[in-house]
Amino acid sequence: MKLYYKPGACSLSPHIVLREAGIDFTITRVDLATKKTEQGDDFFQVNPKGQIPTLLLDDGTILTEGVAIVQYIADQKPDRQLLPEVGSLARYHALEWLNYVATELHKGFSPLFNPKTPDEFKVVTREALDKKFAYVNSSLKGKQFLLGNRFSVADAYLFTVMGWAKALKFDLSALSDLNEYLDRVASRPAVDAALVAEGLK
């Protein structure tokens, strides 16, 4: 498999999951401003959406959208238990978290990355995100990971998005459960390896 990525972007989530799953893969960096791969190829020829993450499967199939990609990877290696069993309520809780991170957190950050966003709207955006971070913090109370004691694909996604909060200097100091969680995830060998591979540490 080949993962097209941008360092620290949402593609870090499937990058972590690939390493957690123990799957053989390569990574290719994409310049999203020029839509060129590190080899100089037109990224639109790979993914007409022009977005990362993009996963090229061994048979030449392209899979896009991070939430779909991490589920696919997890299902290739069920023994790694990166997602609960199909049909179980725990599985739906995992999908619930994936969707929350995608729609409430990931998309919630978008205005902060857009230079055309008015400053007053950025203030409102940050306030809304602060409330969501507080919700995540309370949800982690007494838990090792989002689903309990086992790391899942939802944790890879949340860890990725929370990296943006640190980069944008959100004050997370009062969110002790969230901070302990982020440290716990960062200490995982697969997460550390993904960060090193992307030049993030």
Side-chain angles (χ1 to χ4, degrees):
M1 295 184 193
K2 181 189 290 187
L3 177 69
Y4 292 86
Y5 80 104
K6 177 187 174 185
C10 53
S11 47
L12 177 60
S13 169
H15 187 175
I16 290 169
V17 174
L18 282 163
R19 291 182 184 275
E20 289 279 355
I23 290 174
D24 287 334
F25 70 99
T26 59
I27 55 175
T28 294
R29 186 170 177 159
V30 177
D31 183 331
L32 292 178
T34 63
K35 303 297 183 183
K36 297 283 186 186
T37 70
E38 60 186 281
Q39 293 82 19
D41 298 326
D42 179 3
F43 185 52
F44 281 116
Q45 295 299 312
V46 177
N47 178 0
K49 296 175 185 175
Q51 297 173 333
I52 47 92
T54 297
L55 188 65
L56 174 64
L57 306 184
D58 294 341
D59 66 357
T61 301
I62 287 288
L63 190 61
T64 65
E65 303 301 329
V67 169
I69 291 171
V70 296
Q71 290 178 72
Y72 174 81
I73 296 166
D75 286 339
Q76 302 314 297
K77 295 282 186 171
D79 60 303
R80 298 295 177 109
Q81 296 183 301
L82 292 168
L83 266 178
E85 186 179 345
V86 173
S88 67
L89 185 57
R91 176 85 170 208
Y92 294 106
H93 282 307
L95 301 183
E96 178 183 13
W97 271 114
L98 282 173
N99 281 284
Y100 184 81
V101 176
T103 60
E104 299 299 321
L105 299 181
H106 183 168
K107 284 301 176 188
F109 273 100
S110 296
L112 302 180
F113 291 124
N114 186 341
K116 295 180 180 177
T117 301
D119 287 343
E120 57 270 23
F121 188 67
K122 287 185 177 180
V123 171
V124 173
T125 298
R126 292 178 75 95
E127 289 172 351
L129 283 169
D130 279 331
K131 289 177 182 175
K132 289 166 185 175
F133 299 155
Y135 165 73
V136 173
N137 181 69
S138 65
S139 298
L140 286 166
K141 192 161 194 65
K143 294 181 183 176
Q144 293 287 301
F145 301 104
L146 287 172
L147 300 182
N149 292 325
R150 182 171 290 283
F151 179 90
S152 74
V153 297
D155 296 299
Y157 196 8
L158 178 59
F159 176 81
T160 295
V161 170
M162 291 309 302
W164 308 340
K166 290 184 177 183
L168 292 169
K169 304 215 170 8
F170 276 83
D171 182 6
L172 306 176
S173 58
L175 306 179
S176 57
D177 290 294
L178 178 56
N179 283 309
E180 289 171 14
Y181 162 84
L182 293 173
D183 289 343
R184 198 157 40 246
V185 175
S187 71
R188 296 178 69 82
V191 175
D192 184 69
L195 293 172
V196 170
E198 294 196 11
L200 299 172
K201 64 175 297 186

